Amino acid sequence: MDETFGNYSILGKAIPRVDARAKVTGQAKYAADIEVANMLWGQINRSPYAHARILNIDTSKAEALPGVKAVTTGKDFGGFKWGWSGPTRDEEPLAVEKVRYQYEGVAAVAAVDEDTAQEACDLIEVDYEPLPGVFTPSEAMQEGAPLVHDDRPGNICVEYHWNFGDVDKAFAESYLVREDTFQTPRMAKGYLEPPAVVAYWPDPERIVYIGAKGSPYFPYRILAKCFDLPLSNVRIITPIIGSDFGGTKNDMTPADFSAVMLAKKTGRPVKFVTSQFDALTTDLRRHPMWITVKTGVTKDGILKATSLKAVADGGAYTRISPLTMFLVGTCQTLPYKLPNFKYDAYNYFTNNPSSAAMRGHGLYHSRFAADVQLDMIAEELGLDPVEIRLKNSIENPKPGEIYETVNDVHVATCGVQECIEKVAEAVNWKARKGQKKVEGDTAYGMGFAAATYNSGTKLSAHNACAAIVRVCEDGSVNYLTGATDVGQGSDTIMSAIVAEVLGIRLEDIDLKRVDSAFTPVDPGSYGSRVTVHAGEAATKAAEDAKSQLLEVAAQQFGVKPGDVDIKDKKVFVKSSPERNMAWERLVRIACYETPGKVIIGRGYSTQGISMYGLADFSKGVGDIGTNYSFTAQASEVEVDVETGVVKCTDNNVIAHDCGFPLNTQAVETQVQGGSYHQGISAAVYEEFKMDSGQTLNPNLVDYKRPRAYEAPMTQVIHVITNDPYGPFGAKEASEGSCCSAPPSIVSAIHDATGVWIKDLPAQPEKVFWALKKKREKGQK
Amino acid sequence: MKGEMKELKLTVNGKPYELEVKAETLLVDLLRQELKLTGAKVGCLDSACGACTVNIDGKAVRSCSVLALQTNGREVTTIEGVADGDKLHPIQQAMIDHGAIECGFCTPGMVMSAKALLDENTNPTREEVKEAIQGNLCADEGYVKYIEAIEIAAREMRGGQ
């Protein structure tokens, strides 16, 4: 029997997803499954060089190939550049003057079929002048290094320097000060569904774009600007989306722009389906980062100060790097009390594919470094990893009180202590202590970690989610949302909130996915923002519709609107529930009694901004989150000391404070997935191998992704804190587990073998050499 | 010869087909583009992700790794042929009820791998379940609920034992 929380009809329980039937029967349509009559196929011509000047592009042979309908190059876009924000618009739809990473798009073709389009691409002749490149931050920062962007001296993409409290004084007063450098890998986003798009112009003034986008209002705004059309004429339709995890399915790709341009040129629909090779070589990646963390503690292990330096490889274009580097620093003052904090961030342009947001965005890097170092400190001081975490972790503020960090981050609810205690209890941490287990060549060890993640991320400019609840005259309900379910389950959560507020069943709600012609504008699915902001909008829109219906009910019963309520599809007088009528009858009366109402509820979110305003990236103060989730995790690993192979055991427990689990099942799946795919995988499996800008393992055989036979059967414990700033008390679910998994794994490897792997992933070769070095040192 | 049309007779989801296909046509392209059965997904075309898994004569096969002609005279089952009308297969029902499905892109392949296993053995060990879906990459849900759902379905197929 699944756990249930709260006193609700639908929320707080295990709710099967509204889209699961379509997905499990193969009926769900993803972008690549969509066909439009008279459709052409597109392909991109890409640069073989990581850094080169484009001298000439000759498309004549391609255009002459039978079956080719149009060719486009960067010049067709009239100098248009785009980017995450005004100052960061540094990227062209297709490169015009120079290419900055290998396989950057240079031209595109539309033809009658995929093969012809590919053949035509191969006939495009591009003259390049290869340029020397920079392929790591350390190369990029050298004096006189080649510049990726001529107008960006020193190849600096982002730089921040923050200082809170008095770090130097605190270090001087500390009993122990440690400095360690850690490294996180260059990772793929990991979606199996490569990006795909179908675009057409129903008339010369209108675009229809159907594509795999988790933030469909990004292309809405960008395409309007690019093609100089009013927003009202840009229609973005979202099919079912096969995961996103930040990055490419938020932003634009050369195929997105080219599909629209080629559709304009040919007057026909154009479809692009990216290959996995192209996705792995050109899509946005998680930033590889070098994190130096210096921490001072008292003799008892109380944190006095941290100085953090993060150096990141931003790749060829800015994309979302300013936010990444902010996130790496901002939550360093959570989940532990930290009175003094300094942060220096450097993000460099290189001639690698661009880096961007990925599940666990930013916090995953710094939390990995700091939490592993906390275990190193604990070991030096002879303290227990659980004990040192409990000592330093932030207590849950009393209702009405707020915990404020030294960098002005505000926390209304914090379940980290309860998370730590529950995980320690679940894995029987105390009894386990000191019981090293070695069986033949296999050494077992367990590691502990705690983490946080910002929830309901709020950025400057348009930040609100909006919703429309349309009650049809037969009692069925359309829910129109601007939010996009990329797999996390928001369609189910939003439907559940609307049904709960209206007092009807989940199956009465028909959710309309984003079609910008009809649904309200929305920032998108990133930064664990959907549940908090879209959830607030859903609640308000449903309450609005409900209040319109309650007025009608009150008239019918001859009472005041406040005297009636709806539950289990019945409207009733609260003081005498025997006076009631069916939901359908109420709706029918409302819609048909002359002149007949049209019941449309609307609402939009305000919570995130009304509280404490916005964060200041350059100073590092303020809230990026509306509220903050907390996580603790214990992971056991087995290490083959002969080969260095690390594998998780099923002894893996996560306690997660998501405030209130609106759908327990969805929270569990999210947390298990976040931990394994984006956390554990970063710790032990995944990394792009690069050579001068070339990706050496651009396929899912050589690029190791986590599979079922290595998956830990992670147990999830719900910790309830009922956050006042989330809908029904909710905060984000899962990005925290991406952050707690890597440090718990690295500490477990240390517990098993005595070696610290500071450079992720802990692939067998790395562990093998570390063990060998340790053995040789022991023999001396 | 490339481009030469060959005759192909096969059964897909119980329906017999007599087709002319190019020798180089992959089974996944035949299913998705000719027969419009888009349930099998194309993730990688490297036989690495398993999103295109179908059953051929009851065995789980990645449809990007076989030529359409190799299925001559065989019986192919795709995700579209798993449910019995409106009645879902126990594997499908368990995946819905247990919350195994997130983005769903790997789901059709996952169902087909599980079906091939449970059609042969309704009492698999956990290791056998993991082995059966080891060729199916998932990107987001961590495999835990897929593994448990397949075990729940197996119990259902054994009549609740």
Side-chain angles (χ1 to χ4, degrees):
Chain A
M1 183 65 194
D2 291 308
E3 274 183 294
T4 64
F5 298 97
N7 194 19
Y8 299 106
S9 303
I10 300 164
L11 301 174
K13 301 175 176 26
I15 319 165
R17 293 179 184 232
V18 294
D19 51 3
R21 191 180 173 101
K23 287 174 175 175
V24 84
T25 53
Q27 300 306 312
K29 292 285 179 228
Y30 297 77
D33 303 336
I34 289 165
E35 280 189 357
V36 179
N38 211 21
M39 189 175 85
L40 299 169
W41 286 83
Q43 285 285 349
I44 302 285
N45 174 291
R46 297 178 183 278
S47 160
Y49 299 104
H51 198 197
R53 209 167 294 288
I54 299 168
L55 303 176
N56 187 46
I57 303 176
D58 181 354
T59 60
S60 57
K61 282 183 190 156
E63 282 166 67
L65 185 74
V68 171
K69 300 298 174 189
V71 179
T72 184
T73 63
K75 283 187 179 152
D76 290 337
F77 293 89
F80 175 78
K81 285 191 177 181
W82 68 283
W84 176 58
S85 64
T88 67
R89 287 182 188 136
D90 56 9
E91 196 161 354
E92 291 152 332
L94 294 165
V96 177
E97 283 181 0
K98 100 177 181 169
V99 290
R100 295 180 172 84
Y101 66 95
Q102 192 187 34
Y103 300 134
E104 182 167 1
V106 173
V109 174
V112 290
D113 57 47
E114 250 181 314
D115 284 353
T116 308
Q118 185 58 60
E119 200 178 334
C121 268
D122 297 344
L123 292 172
I124 295 173
E125 288 168 358
V126 187
D127 293 338
Y128 293 101
E129 178 199 341
L131 299 169
V134 287
F135 303 105
T136 61
S138 58
E139 286 173 25
M141 68 176 78
Q142 296 304 318
E143 184 106 19
L147 292 181
V148 179
H149 297 268
D150 295 340
D151 57 346
R152 300 299 292 267
N155 288 314
I156 276 280
C157 176
V158 185
E159 187 173 349
Y160 298 138
H161 302 284
W162 310 341
N163 208 338
F164 304 101
D166 191 338
V167 172
D168 293 331
K169 184 166 169 269
F171 282 145
E173 290 167 5
S174 291
Y175 173 78
L176 172 70
V177 178
R178 258 199 89 102
E179 184 174 312
D180 299 278
T181 298
F182 299 85
Q183 194 182 328
T184 52
R186 193 183 304 276
M187 271 177 84
K189 294 300 153 73
Y191 38 75
L192 290 184
E193 181 209 23
V197 52
V198 182
Y200 58 96
W201 293 65
D203 65 49
E205 296 297 317
R206 282 173 179 75
I207 296 172
V208 176
Y209 169 104
I210 310 170
K213 291 290 170 202
S215 298
Y217 288 92
F218 281 34
Y220 171 74
R221 288 171 171 142
I222 294 168
L223 289 174
K225 257 214 168 79
C226 180
F227 290 92
D228 196 21
L229 289 174
L231 284 167
S232 54
N233 291 16
V234 179
R235 185 171 173 193
I236 311 290
I237 300 173
T238 51
I240 300 294
I241 294 166
S243 290
D244 173 13
F245 311 123
T248 300
K249 290 187 190 172
N250 280 332
D251 281 349
M252 304 296 284
T253 67
D256 292 323
F257 287 109
S258 301
V260 178
M261 181 58 84
L262 291 166
K264 185 178 183 176
K265 286 189 168 204
T266 59
R268 291 173 66 174
V270 178
K271 176 172 177 172
F272 278 79
V273 180
T274 307
S275 68
Q276 190 62 248
F277 176 90
D278 284 355
L280 288 172
T281 50
T282 65
D283 281 2
L284 301 174
R285 301 163 169 199
R286 196 185 241 173
H287 289 78
M289 224 174 271
W290 291 260
I291 309 123
T292 302
V293 54
K294 183 178 173 186
T295 300
V297 293
T298 68
K299 197 175 181 181
D300 298 329
I302 301 295
L303 293 167
K304 295 279 288 175
T306 290
S307 174
L308 189 74
K309 183 185 166 194
V311 177
D313 182 342
Y317 295 97
T318 306
R319 296 287 181 134
I320 209 163
S321 279
L323 177 59
T324 307
M325 301 318 286
F326 175 81
L327 288 168
V328 170
T330 182
C331 285
Q332 199 60 25
T333 47
L334 301 174
Y336 310 116
K337 285 170 266 186
L338 186 65
N340 301 286
F341 171 51
K342 187 168 175 287
Y343 176 53
D344 297 289
Y346 304 88
N347 185 310
Y348 291 93
F349 288 114
T350 64
N351 294 108
N352 291 317
S354 302
S355 303
M358 177 162 153
R359 205 174 186 183
H361 190 193
L363 279 68
Y364 133 93
H365 305 272
S366 43
R367 183 41 49 204
F368 158 63
D371 236 60
V372 170
Q373 195 193 47
L374 193 61
D375 278 345
M376 295 171 154
I377 289 168
E379 190 179 41
E380 269 195 58
L381 295 176
L383 291 170
D384 177 75
V386 168
E387 190 191 340
I388 198 168
R389 283 179 173 77
L390 277 177
K391 265 185 185 178
N392 283 291
S393 56
I394 293 161
E395 291 100 15
N396 192 13
K398 292 193 184 85
E401 288 180 10
I402 298 284
Y403 175 84
E404 190 178 76
T405 70
V406 70
N407 55 334
D408 285 354
V409 170
H410 300 87
V411 176
T413 57
C414 170
V416 73
Q417 289 195 342
E418 192 180 338
C419 288
I420 294 170
E421 283 161 1
K422 288 205 160 144
V423 170
E425 193 189 325
V427 297
N428 210 354
W429 181 266
K430 273 186 192 153
R432 219 190 160 281
K433 211 168 150 185
Q435 290 181 352
K436 284 245 166 81
K437 209 166 91 179
V438 180
E439 285 171 6
D441 288 334
T442 308
Y444 292 83
M446 184 174 271
F448 210 97
T452 187
Y453 205 81
N454 48 287
S455 157
T457 288
K458 44 188 195 175
L459 298 168
S460 59
H462 175 74
N463 197 65
C465 286
I468 297 166
V469 168
R470 196 164 61 192
V471 182
C472 304
E473 59 199 33
D474 63 353
S476 61
V477 173
N478 290 131
Y479 178 64
L480 282 73
T481 176
T484 299
D485 193 337
V486 294
Q488 82 273 37
S490 66
D491 283 355
T492 305
I493 303 295
M494 296 309 133
S495 300
I497 287 176
V498 172
E500 183 76 49
V501 171
L502 289 177
I504 59 179
R505 297 169 311 169
L506 183 61
E507 48 271 36
D508 297 320
I509 312 295
D510 177 64
L511 181 138
K512 299 295 185 197
R513 290 173 66 86
V514 169
D515 178 337
S516 65
F518 308 105
T519 51
V521 68
D522 184 283
S525 288
Y526 57 81
S528 270
R529 62 181 301 289
V530 177
T531 296
V532 168
H533 296 308
E536 185 191 342
T539 308
K540 286 179 171 171
E543 281 170 350
D544 183 13
K546 186 180 176 181
S547 73
Q548 294 171 43
L549 286 165
L550 289 184
E551 259 181 50
V552 176
Q555 272 176 7
Q556 292 293 314
F557 290 118
V559 296
K560 293 198 178 98
D563 297 334
V564 278
D565 201 1
I566 311 170
K567 217 178 171 183
D568 300 328
K569 294 198 82 176
K570 267 198 182 117
V571 57
F572 56 94
V573 178
K574 285 194 247 179
S575 56
S576 43
E578 70 283 357
R579 298 180 65 200
N580 64 61
M581 72 170 89
W583 159 265
E584 286 85 355
R585 186 169 157 71
L586 169 66
V587 174
R588 230 179 158 68
I589 290 169
C591 297
Y592 278 96
E593 200 121 294
T594 311
K597 290 185 174 10
V598 176
I599 307 290
I600 296 174
R602 52 183 217 121
Y604 65 91
S605 63
T606 55
Q607 192 79 273
I609 297 301
S610 60
M611 186 182 74
Y612 303 116
L614 290 169
D616 180 331
F617 282 20
S618 62
K619 295 196 183 92
V621 293
D623 284 288
I624 189 75
T626 301
N627 49 25
Y628 298 84
S629 79
F630 294 92
T631 303
Q633 181 166 8
S635 300
E636 187 188 53
V637 298
E638 48 177 73
V639 183
D640 185 324
V641 294
E642 275 292 295
T643 61
V645 172
V646 176
K647 188 173 178 290
C648 290
T649 74
D650 286 340
N651 206 356
N652 197 301
V653 180
I654 300 175
H656 186 59
D657 158 24
C658 73
F660 177 82
L662 298 172
N663 178 352
T664 52
Q665 210 172 53
V667 169
E668 287 158 21
T669 317
Q670 277 286 88
V671 170
Q672 287 161 340
S675 166
Y676 190 41
H677 295 289
Q678 285 79 23
I680 289 169
S681 196
V684 286
Y685 302 128
E686 282 188 55
E687 183 174 42
F688 280 120
K689 304 283 184 193
M690 302 296 293
D691 179 13
S692 304
Q694 183 173 13
T695 305
L696 300 178
N697 50 347
N699 60 72
L700 296 174
V701 178
D702 299 317
Y703 182 88
K704 166 71 179 159
R705 299 218 60 232
R707 291 184 181 270
Y709 57 88
E710 295 136 326
M713 299 298 283
T714 303
Q715 181 201 338
V716 178
I717 298 168
H718 299 277
V719 168
I720 313 294
T721 53
N722 288 313
D723 193 272
Y725 298 105
F728 300 88
K731 307 190 276 192
E732 76 94 27
S734 95
E735 293 210 67
S737 69
C738 308
C739 304
S740 58
S744 73
I745 295 288
V746 166
S747 293
I749 295 170
H750 174 74
D751 186 44
T753 64
V755 301
W756 287 114
I757 305 292
K758 297 188 200 173
D759 168 12
L760 297 184
Q763 287 172 340
E765 192 183 349
K766 226 176 267 172
V767 178
F768 172 86
W769 286 110
L771 289 170
K772 189 163 187 284
K773 211 167 135 190
K774 183 178 163 254
R775 271 196 299 271
E776 286 167 359
K777 211 172 156 190
Q779 281 162 3
K780 274 178 195 163
Chain B
M1 268 274 304
K2 192 170 184 260
E4 196 185 327
M5 301 301 275
K6 299 262 188 185
E7 219 169 83
L8 168 65
K9 282 187 192 177
L10 81 166
T11 307
V12 180
N13 299 331
K15 194 172 155 191
Y17 286 89
E18 285 186 32
L19 304 159
E20 292 230 310
V21 299
K22 288 182 192 163
E24 69 269 21
T25 301
L26 297 174
L27 177 60
V28 68
D29 290 334
L30 174 77
L31 294 172
R32 286 179 56 86
Q33 287 171 26
E34 303 299 321
L35 305 185
K36 309 296 176 193
L37 296 168
T38 57
K41 302 299 174 205
V42 175
C44 67
L45 288 179
D46 289 327
S47 304
C49 79
C52 66
T53 305
V54 299
N55 288 174
I56 302 177
D57 293 343
K59 299 270 181 242
V61 177
R62 295 164 197 184
S63 61
C64 77
S65 70
V66 291
L67 296 169
L69 285 176
Q70 287 175 285
T71 61
N72 197 34
R74 295 179 186 273
E75 213 168 289
V76 175
T77 308
T78 71
I79 188 66
E80 289 90 345
V82 174
D84 180 9
D86 278 349
K87 192 175 159 35
L88 295 179
H89 189 280
I91 296 168
Q92 295 171 309
Q93 194 61 52
M95 285 184 183
I96 294 175
D97 294 343
H98 197 57
I101 300 159
E102 291 221 283
C103 85
F105 197 77
C106 71
T107 305
M110 209 60 93
V111 171
M112 299 318 295
S113 290
K115 187 174 181 302
L117 169 73
L118 299 188
D119 281 349
E120 266 200 1
N121 173 13
T122 54
N123 198 8
T125 63
R126 176 157 288 178
E127 286 311 304
E128 285 168 334
V129 172
K130 286 186 173 188
E131 199 180 308
I133 59 167
Q134 72 180 24
N136 296 86
L137 279 176
C138 162
D140 51 12
E141 73 85 74
Y143 301 103
V144 176
K145 289 198 189 284
Y146 269 132
I147 293 164
E148 289 170 346
I150 294 165
E151 290 172 347
I152 291 166
R155 208 173 315 137
E156 174 72 23
M157 288 166 76
R158 296 196 301 270
Q161 298 300 301

